[in-house]
Amino acid sequence: PHSPKPAGTGIQAAPGLMDVSKTLLVHIISVDGLAAPRPGVQPASLKPYVSYQIRGYREHFTRTGSGPTFRFEDISRVAVRVDAEFCKWAEVEGLQLLVFDASAPPAGATEEQIGMIGEARVPVLQLLASPHAHVQGRYALQRQASVASPAAPVGAAGSMGTIEISVRWLDEGTAVIPPPGAKAGAAR
């Protein structure tokens, strides 16, 4: 198996991945054990949804669920160009998932005021190793300590539940992706 090699300032994808267009399948499986994001809210009344964005591509939102444990089974396809920018994103940032409570009344711009339950960063560097790479797991949702709880040390974070996801490349076989502006059936 091929492993990514450093290329100047970052990582380069394996042969067969670099400088090609590929479809990334992002599967938001479920959330579990969600904690209420604000005082006085019972976990059973939560209306969770998940949001994520791959740099340079449209933000994705799941449907809204109910309760502290919910199976989304949300699968989205994101056509990406595996270039230096994508490799840098995979190496440095990874996939950031944000879980919100849709039942929270809009009240401002802080995490608590916008109803954010928590966030998780999923390391996706492994995807650059092979067109068959797969990242799957359950990740803790974290939230920075609120200004409203001065007893917590600065920068302390608390677990707000977990999110289970899977990220992999779509096996497109020998499919030809036409260049921008070409008709779908024209490149054969």
Side-chain angles (χ1 to χ4, degrees), residues 60 64 70 98 116 119 129 144 146 188:
H60 178 80
T64 300
F70 186 78
L98 303 173
M116 188 163 95
E119 66 180 299
Q144 293 301 317
S146 164
R188 291 234 187 262

Side-chain angles (χ1 to χ4, degrees), residues 26-104:
V26 180
H27 182 185
I28 306 296
I29 300 166
S30 64
V31 291
D32 188 39
L34 297 180
R38 45 196 196 288
V41 174
Q42 294 300 317
S45 68
L46 294 175
K47 301 285 183 209
Y49 68 94
V50 181
S51 164
Y52 66 85
Q53 184 172 13
I54 295 170
R55 182 187 292 260
Y57 298 90
R58 193 169 19 137
E59 189 171 10
H60 178 80
F61 296 90
T62 65
R63 65 190 163 111
T64 300
S66 64
T69 298
F70 186 78
R71 287 193 74 79
F72 290 100
E73 295 298 344
D74 179 274
I75 299 173
S76 65
R77 297 170 183 229
V78 183
V80 298
R81 177 100 181 135
V82 184
D83 57 10
E85 271 304 303
F86 182 84
C87 291
K88 182 178 177 186
W89 169 82
E91 178 185 12
V92 177
E93 296 177 39
L95 185 61
Q96 181 183 19
L97 302 159
L98 303 173
V99 180
F100 293 94
D101 177 16
S103 69

Side-chain angles (χ1 to χ4, degrees), residues 37-39 110 112 143-152:
R38 45 196 196 288
T110 69
E112 193 169 273
R143 183 146 164 221
Q144 293 301 317
S146 164
V147 177
S149 63

